[in-house]
Amino acid sequence: MPKTTKVKKKVTKTKAKVSKPKTKVAAKPKAAAKAPIKISKTYIPKDTEKYMCEKHQVFFRMRLTEWKKDLVKANNEALYYGSMDDNSISADVVDQASSYTDKNVEMKAINRQIKLISEIDKALARIREGIYGYCLDTAEPIGLKRLIARPVAKYTIAAQEKHEKNEKVHADD
């Protein structure tokens, strides 16, 4: 038997480009969302810390929000309990006058507290904007002692005195 040889036909296949797995270039890590700073209830800002650091801002934000909650609660109670004795009309004119005066004083106190709540809201807005603790006129630090005593303070003592003096001058006109 004769030997037959098979001729193998070469088939050329086009090879698909095999892409090498890309190595990721270490990108700059994004600034991780900072966890909110927690402070203890007994924390008091110190002069040795950087002025208006995050701890200070958290302290004053907590203090202002607590103060606002207390004022709102007190106003609601005063309005609720104050309206209960509206129905009691006394025959005595002196008692009526006394009741009217008491109501008037109470309403003035509530109005003052409502204005204070508005000032607290403005101070909280200044904290969010990052300008809390700095004088609105001079942009100088107000000072921790002043802010602890009056958290809604907008001016340094010198600037506040200047404003009050201007108010007196214009009040006389």
Side-chain angles (χ1 to χ4, degrees), residues 7-15:
V7 177
K8 289 187 182 177
K9 203 176 193 185
K10 275 193 173 179
V11 179
T12 58
K13 293 182 182 176
T14 55
K15 290 185 180 179

Side-chain angles (χ1 to χ4, degrees), residues 66-89:
E66 285 297 318
W67 192 13
K68 180 180 176 181
K69 284 179 191 175
D70 292 343
L71 288 173
V72 168
K73 183 179 177 184
N75 280 353
N76 289 340
E77 288 174 358
L79 289 171
Y80 177 74
Y81 293 119
S83 65
M84 290 182 121
D85 61 4
D86 281 346
N87 298 333
S88 61
I89 298 174

